[in-house]
Amino acid sequence: PTWSMKPFMYPCFRNTLCCLLFVAGALVSVAAPTKIRVGYSYWLPNVPMDVAEAHGWFKEENLEVSFTRTETSQAVIAGLKNGELDLATDMIGSWIECANQGADVLILGEVNWSHGGDKILVRDGADIATMQPKRLGVYMNNLAVSQFLNAYLASRGLVGADYTLVEVADGPKMQEMFGEGKLRAVVTCEPDAGDMVEKHAGKVVATTADYPGVMPEGFAARGAFVREIPKESLEAFFRVWFRAVAYVADPANAAEVAKIASESTLGGTDTYTVETLTEELAQVPLHTPKQAIVTNTKGGNLQTYYNRCLGFLIKAGRLNSAFKPKDAIYTEPLLQAAAAADGRK
């Protein structure tokens, strides 16, 4: 008799084809990158992200990262709160305030300090203790800036409640008001502070370097975003961050970093040279992996600062009874990435 292969060939072919399609689908699923929308304001300490983007390091970690760069912290914070962003950087005090106001925000960790980058300036020989009216210009009227301002006022035996704070988020506008004498004392940051000294005879009376750790900065994320993505994706993001921090710290890369900072991180609003880049980075030092581990673990600056802010909110009667402070911090992915970068993992 003649044997036909058809009854055997077709089922086998179909089975093989199904297996191949299943494997291909699985591979596509595994290869799909995690999408992360990141926001930050024009501020030099954010340059590691632009360096990483320029070198394609996020893609190497299977991350599809898009950036929204804004002129003000206010816009960044709003973007995270309303769901337009997944991750963002700003002052830690900003994120504590968001969480206290009921926003679904998780603080992912501290990555740098303002250590001289923020300044208190006066003009016309004004003395903050005796000037009238008692008006202080601030680039942001929030918990973070108030911690720095109150530290200075307390050192002078003064009380923050005695002063009216005028928020001027637009840097050039604040410079204009300072130059015209409409504001005789301000809290501002670089590069605006330098311009006020140079163009308007401003005098620096205090900087964040006088109060180490008083203005930590770092990442926060939408809680819903963190809950829906693999923890490994956040670890990958911070691995890239620490890789870029090391690159920025290498003097051999200063010219390239200055160009990236000028064109991307500050969106063309300022131009850095190697010299000015080095000077300003010293005022907003980026944590190495080792420093990040120390500051983000128990007893570190993040905990110290966090508790001080909570104490301030309680004393001011502003602590939201629904706010659960312990639930607002999630530093594990950052610490895992820092440990790997530091050779501890």
Side-chain angles (χ1 to χ4, degrees):
T2 302
W3 295 92
S4 172
M5 293 295 294
K6 289 183 180 180
F8 301 93
M9 180 178 69
Y10 289 163
C12 288
F13 176 76
R14 285 198 299 270
N15 290 341
T16 301
L17 180 60
C18 287
C19 287
L20 287 172
L21 290 172
F22 175 80
V23 171
L27 288 173
V28 169
S29 177
V30 169
T34 299
K35 296 181 179 181
I36 307 178
R37 300 168 301 169
V38 181
Y40 68 77
S41 60
Y42 296 149
W43 184 229
L44 183 58
N46 296 313
V47 71
M49 288 185 282
D50 291 311
V51 167
E53 182 185 40
H55 285 266
W57 294 339
F58 289 116
K59 291 181 179 178
E60 289 180 17
E61 291 280 2
N62 203 30
L63 302 175
E64 186 178 318
V65 179
S66 58
F67 291 101
T68 297
R69 304 170 178 91
T70 70
E71 292 186 4
T72 67
S73 289
Q74 288 88 333
V76 174
I77 293 165
L80 193 68
K81 289 171 70 174
N82 65 26
E84 294 175 0
L85 301 172
D86 302 314
L87 263 66
T89 62
D90 204 75
M91 298 168 284
I92 296 294
S94 300
W95 304 132
I96 296 173
E97 195 153 54
C98 282
N100 182 56
Q101 291 169 349
D104 183 19
V105 168
L106 291 175
I107 297 168
L108 301 181
E110 175 188 315
V111 295
N112 74 283
W113 286 356
S114 172
H115 193 69
D118 289 74
K119 298 177 171 66
I120 299 173
L121 292 88
V122 298
R123 60 159 292 154
D124 301 328
D127 183 347
I128 288 178
T130 58
M131 70 178 188
Q132 294 294 337
K134 292 185 177 297
R135 297 171 72 245
L136 288 165
V138 293
Y139 66 90
M140 196 171 185
N141 187 4
N142 76 342
L143 185 61
V145 173
S146 70
Q147 291 299 295
F148 169 40
L149 177 59
N150 288 340
Y152 167 71
L153 293 176
S155 73
R156 300 277 314 273
L158 305 172
V159 181
D162 293 338
Y163 292 82
T164 299
L165 302 185
V166 180
E167 182 177 275
V168 186
D170 182 78
K173 180 63 177 178
M174 180 183 276
Q175 285 193 47
E176 178 184 320
M177 293 176 70
F178 187 75
E180 294 174 351
K182 294 178 181 177
L183 290 172
R184 299 178 63 206
V186 298
V187 182
T188 187
C189 57
E190 294 295 350
D192 292 318
D195 288 342
M196 290 183 188
V197 170
E198 183 180 337
K199 299 175 182 178
H200 306 298
K203 178 185 177 183
V204 176
V205 296
T207 82
T208 42
D210 298 321
Y211 314 96
V214 76
M215 194 178 280
E217 300 169 341
F219 284 91
R222 287 189 302 111
F225 173 74
V226 172
R227 291 187 289 271
E228 71 188 20
I229 68 165
K231 185 186 74 171
E232 291 74 18
S233 294
L234 281 178
E235 289 183 22
F237 180 88
F238 286 116
R239 280 198 301 272
V240 172
W241 169 264
F242 286 117
R243 180 180 179 181
V245 166
Y247 192 89
V248 169
D250 187 342
N253 304 322
E256 177 195 347
V257 173
K259 185 173 186 294
I260 291 173
S262 301
E263 296 176 356
S264 298
T265 313
L266 272 82
T269 60
D270 200 11
T271 302
Y272 285 101
T273 64
V274 169
E275 292 74 19
T276 57
L277 176 81
T278 304
E279 290 172 3
E280 288 201 22
L281 279 176
Q283 297 181 42
V284 284
L286 298 161
H287 294 335
T288 65
K290 188 183 298 294
Q291 290 168 333
I293 291 169
V294 171
T295 198
N296 286 290
T297 50
K298 187 175 181 179
N301 188 66
L302 178 62
Q303 184 185 54
T304 301
Y305 179 81
Y306 197 71
N307 290 339
R308 187 165 62 241
C309 287
L310 292 178
F312 175 85
L313 290 171
I314 291 170
K315 186 176 181 180
R318 291 170 48 196
L319 188 67
N320 186 342
S321 59
F323 176 42
K324 298 179 180 179
K326 290 184 178 179
D327 294 342
I329 294 185
Y330 179 54
T331 56
E332 185 180 347
L334 181 145
L335 288 171
Q336 291 287 334
D342 195 43
R344 304 188 190 190
K345 178 182 173 184

